[in-house]
Amino acid sequence: MTVAAGRRKTTAWALPAYRYLLGSEAVTLAGSGVSAVALPALAVLELRATIGQVATLAFLGQLPSTFALWAGALSDRHAKRFQLLVSDLVAAAVLTTIPAAALAGVLTIGQLYGVTLAVGAAKVVRDAAAISLLPAIVPPHLLHDANSRLGAASSVADSAGSNVGAALVGAVGAARSLLVDAGSFLASAWLVWRIRAPEPHVSPVGAEKSRGLFRDIAAGVRYVIGQPTIRTVIAALAVLSFGLALMNTFWAYYLLVPA
């Protein structure tokens, strides 16, 4: 058997580290789908949020995405598994404060704002680290297969999470439903901990590293601007995200508030 034939028969799924990463991504996306339903429902049904407050909640959920370039450059300078673990544990801890506060009768819209912002920031750091870790655990000739499987799993997990979230809100209430998302981050942390793969050498710390961070961000922006295909894809995704943000701002308020 030739090397080329062996490569054609091998898939990313055969790599244990990749399976753990895939499972981690799928479980967090499913949990986030639950929160995407539960948080607005909690604001509207339990806290009687105004349309302005619902809009602020949606805005804060999107705000951390503006730091994606910084998170991407940062992921190249620190151990990626460490970033994934910390992000998962921080998100889980922050999410559990909502059902705890609801049980104690002290939940406020301000707390929802803070939790939404903190979890969003953790997700941005997490996503950047996961993307950077993939080439370290999957050889170049399997990256296409690995990304295809990640995309398929992400779509299924996101859809399933939203449906499960709607069912949970109706069955146990919006606040308790968020425990499922917290649990998904804990499950993800366990899966990430199981990953055993050497990571690329990270840059040294210090002033030189700080200057390099901004250089890398600028280089990334220049590269994207200079690549027509990537530039077009990013522009399309930006327009799509803008439209989805508008929809997510108002759907909970108009669907849940009685006429």
Side-chain angles (χ1 to χ4, degrees):
M1 180 184 295
T2 64
V3 174
R7 286 185 174 182
R8 283 196 297 269
K9 292 183 178 180
T10 304
T11 65
W13 183 254
L15 305 172
Y18 174 74
R19 293 198 297 270
Y20 289 131
L21 181 62
L22 178 65
S24 169
E25 291 294 288
V27 75
T28 54
L29 279 170
S32 296
V34 173
S35 286
V37 176
L39 275 173
L42 181 61
V44 173
L45 297 178
E46 302 296 331
L47 299 179
R48 299 294 186 265
T50 66
I51 191 169
Q53 290 172 326
V54 173
T56 301
L57 189 65
F59 169 74
L60 292 175
Q62 297 293 326
L63 183 61
S65 298
T66 59
F67 298 99
L69 287 173
W70 175 83
L74 187 68
S75 70
D76 293 332
R77 286 164 166 73
H78 298 280
K80 296 161 186 59
R81 284 181 65 248
F82 176 77
Q83 292 180 69
L84 288 168
L85 283 168
V86 171
S87 298
D88 284 339
L89 294 176
V90 167
V94 170
L95 281 166
T96 56
T97 65
I98 292 181
L103 182 63
V106 295
L107 182 64
T108 65
I109 191 67
Q111 183 176 349
L112 288 193
Y113 290 162
V115 168
T116 298
L117 191 60
V119 173
K123 286 179 181 178
V124 169
V125 173
R126 188 191 189 286
D127 289 345
I131 291 172
S132 300
L133 180 61
L134 184 61
I137 63 178
V138 176
H141 67 280
L142 292 180
L143 281 176
H144 178 74
D145 176 65
N147 280 306
S148 297
R149 291 173 185 269
L150 276 172
S154 298
S155 297
V156 173
D158 186 47
S159 177
S162 298
N163 291 322
V164 171
L168 284 172
V169 169
V172 302
R176 292 188 182 92
S177 298
L178 292 172
L179 290 174
V180 173
D181 194 11
S184 75
F185 281 109
L186 292 177
S188 171
W190 179 79
L191 289 167
V192 170
W193 180 77
R194 296 291 303 274
I195 295 174
R196 295 291 182 267
E199 295 188 29
H201 177 69
V202 294
S203 303
V205 295
E208 180 181 349
K209 179 179 177 180
S210 179
R211 291 193 297 270
L213 180 68
F214 293 104
R215 282 202 303 268
D216 285 355
I217 292 174
V221 172
R222 288 194 299 270
Y223 178 80
V224 169
I225 293 175
Q227 296 292 322
T229 301
I230 298 177
R231 187 174 66 236
T232 302
V233 169
I234 289 179
L237 289 174
V239 173
L240 176 62
S241 297
F242 180 77
L244 290 174
L246 289 176
M247 182 186 72
N248 291 336
T249 299
F250 300 111
W251 76 264
Y253 189 84
Y254 285 109
L255 286 178
L256 298 174
V257 174

